Amino acid sequence: MESSQALYLRTVKDIVDTQVYKIENPEGPLTEHDKEKIGEFGLIIKRGGLVAFPTETVYGLGGDALNASSSEKIYAAKGRPSDNPLIVHICDMKDLERITEDIPEDAVKLAERFWPGPLTMILRASSAVPRRTTGGLDTVAVRMPDNPSALELIRAAGGYIAAPSANLSGKPSPTTAVYVLEDMNGRIDAVIDGGENDIGIESTIIDLAGDKIQVLRPGYITNKMLSDVLGIRVETDPALLDPGCSKRPKAPGMRYRHYAPKGEVIPVRGTPEKVYEHICQGLENARKSGLRSGVICSADNASRYEADIVRHAGSLDDAEAAAHVFYTALRDMDDEGAEIIYVENFTDLGFGEALWNRLLKSAGSKWEEA
Ligand code: TXA
Ligand code: MG
């Protein structure tokens, strides 16, 4: 039988707060003190612990990618289905060899152009990668993030960090350390606070291991940018573009409802004026039904909507600005108790495809046409 002392210690450990280290100047190079602290956090990962860290996209929840029990801990901390594989983060191109069966020419071209950066490549996995990390698949997702703390942590942890976004499964990805703690406090050992992420939505995923090179998750690196480097026309997994069709998305993570606040999200598509009118009508109906309403819209329209909560991004053709605040806006809607949330479309730029994709996920794959 467990002694009451052991039980007490375990309970205390369960509620002890996650350690937080704040990078001294997130805009500048790492200081000696930063490096020292990140070195300690790297050891936590080496010993099988979990550390969340900033990247240029969203915060990651890191564990040793080559240790099956670390991957198991990641799934447990997130409450994530274990068939949804993790991305392995590396800090040096030469480390790719150990975890892959072969490195296609195209992977080298893409890495030269986009790494470190927001591109994840699916490659054939070597036996060094536990199948707990790959969700049972014989392929592995790899990326080299463009963030000094992330690269330093990967180095300190031995070169391979498995890291999904550091949110509870189904919730919006965290873009600040505060959001990480909101979901993960007490569930992980430490967090590196590196301020707000630059991009604000997750990396583009390209499949280089399948029959056909295709994008499995759109992101900041657009199909056009990929096509230009590879000299072929790269397209998006058709199952993502037509959520009603019977084909299943190839990336397991794209099959689940995701990024979702508690309220109902309603993306609205159409010309800007039609979208505006449609949302006004929806807000009117919400008011009549006594629902607390929210709108996420362009800066230009923010003062025109009569909703309980309004959050705005940049102008309607600026998907980058919108992506930067998108997940924050969704989390705000939760904090403010929004029950129905209308979102204008920000699809005009190439990068807008990524935003529309996340929006559809947060809405459970439905939208309204204005
Ligand atoms: O920007 C990002 O990619 C962030 C930061 C932390 O790096 N990470 C991230 O990880 O978004 P996560 O776990 O939230 O999303 C990983 C996605 C999931 O949709 C998963 O199904 C897919 O990558 N994935 C991972 N390995 C795969 C594989 N071998 N084949 C197909 N899809 C894979
Ligand atoms: Mg995620």
Side-chain angles (χ1 to χ4, degrees), residues 78 80 164-167 171 173 202 217 258-259:
K78 272 183 74 87
R80 172 170 176 146
S165 49
N167 51 286
K171 293 249 283 178
S173 302
E202 307 82 352
R217 178 174 75 181
H258 218 151
Y259 321 118

Side-chain angles (χ1 to χ4, degrees), residues 134-210:
T134 67
L137 299 174
D138 288 329
T139 53
V140 60
V142 195
R143 114 174 174 88
M144 192 190 293
D146 186 11
N147 178 292
S149 331
L151 293 170
E152 186 74 20
L153 182 70
I154 297 165
R155 211 168 290 123
Y160 303 94
I161 293 187
S165 49
N167 51 286
L168 287 174
S169 190
K171 293 249 283 178
S173 302
T175 51
T176 66
V178 172
Y179 294 142
V180 173
L181 288 168
E182 234 175 61
D183 285 10
M184 293 296 160
N185 196 15
R187 292 174 169 255
I188 60 177
D189 298 293
V191 184
I192 299 173
D193 179 354
E196 233 178 271
N197 304 119
D198 294 334
I199 294 179
I201 67 168
E202 307 82 352
S203 62
T204 304
I205 300 178
I206 186 167
D207 185 5
L208 298 177

Side-chain angles (χ1 to χ4, degrees), residues 97-323:
E97 241 164 67
R98 179 157 168 216
I99 54 170
T100 52
E101 270 306 311
D102 63 321
I103 305 173
E105 182 93 359
D106 286 336
V108 176
K109 280 193 211 158
L110 291 173
E112 274 170 0
R113 174 69 186 77
F114 298 115
W115 279 2
L119 181 69
T120 296
M121 299 193 231
I122 308 292
L123 299 167
R124 288 175 50 215
S126 76
S127 57
V129 190
R131 290 329 188 231
R132 295 297 293 141
T133 302
T134 67
L137 299 174
D138 288 329
T139 53
V140 60
V142 195
R143 114 174 174 88
M144 192 190 293
D146 186 11
N147 178 292
S149 331
L151 293 170
E152 186 74 20
L153 182 70
I154 297 165
R155 211 168 290 123
Y160 303 94
I161 293 187
S165 49
N167 51 286
L168 287 174
S169 190
K171 293 249 283 178
S173 302
T175 51
T176 66
V178 172
Y179 294 142
V180 173
L181 288 168
E182 234 175 61
D183 285 10
M184 293 296 160
N185 196 15
R187 292 174 169 255
I188 60 177
D189 298 293
V191 184
I192 299 173
D193 179 354
E196 233 178 271
N197 304 119
D198 294 334
I199 294 179
I201 67 168
E202 307 82 352
S203 62
T204 304
I205 300 178
I206 186 167
D207 185 5
L208 298 177
D211 304 334
K212 190 173 173 220
I213 292 182
Q214 60 180 356
V215 167
L216 305 187
R217 178 174 75 181
Y220 184 81
I221 309 283
T222 63
N223 295 5
K224 165 132 195 351
M225 290 157 82
L226 296 165
S227 303
D228 286 349
V229 172
L230 296 181
I232 54 164
R233 200 185 147 95
V234 179
E235 295 188 67
T236 305
D237 177 358
L240 296 189
L241 304 176
D242 179 8
C245 85
S246 55
K247 280 189 74 169
R248 274 157 48 101
K250 216 173 157 206
M254 302 310 276
R255 294 173 195 153
Y256 304 103
R257 180 159 186 228
H258 218 151
Y259 321 118
K262 296 187 199 93
E264 182 184 7
V265 178
I266 305 180
V268 183
R269 209 167 60 172
T271 60
E273 209 37 46
K274 284 242 168 80
V275 167
Y276 172 72
E277 282 164 17
H278 187 97
I279 292 180
C280 286
Q281 187 58 57
L283 291 175
E284 179 65 35
N285 296 343
R287 201 161 28 247
K288 283 183 191 149
S289 320
L291 289 177
R292 197 166 161 72
S293 63
V295 173
I296 302 174
C297 62
S298 69
D300 321 331
N301 282 346
S303 61
R304 298 170 75 197
Y305 286 117
E306 287 179 32
D308 296 310
I309 310 129
V310 179
R311 288 288 178 275
H312 65 79
S315 67
L316 260 189
D317 57 4
D318 189 354
E320 260 182 63

Side-chain angles (χ1 to χ4, degrees), residues 1-19:
M1 221 179 77
E2 202 163 18
S3 77
S4 63
Q5 174 69 5
L7 191 63
Y8 168 75
L9 284 177
R10 201 187 63 210
T11 317
V12 167
K13 188 170 180 304
D14 287 345
I15 56 169
V16 156
D17 286 353
T18 294
Q19 244 195 97

Side-chain angles (χ1 to χ4, degrees), residues 344-367:
E344 291 183 345
N345 72 337
F346 290 84
T347 51
D348 284 1
L349 296 184
F351 178 35
E353 186 197 344
L355 200 55
W356 181 251
N357 164 265
R358 303 305 191 277
L359 197 49
L360 280 191
K361 298 255 81 172
S362 72
S365 292
K366 61 176 174 35
W367 71 91

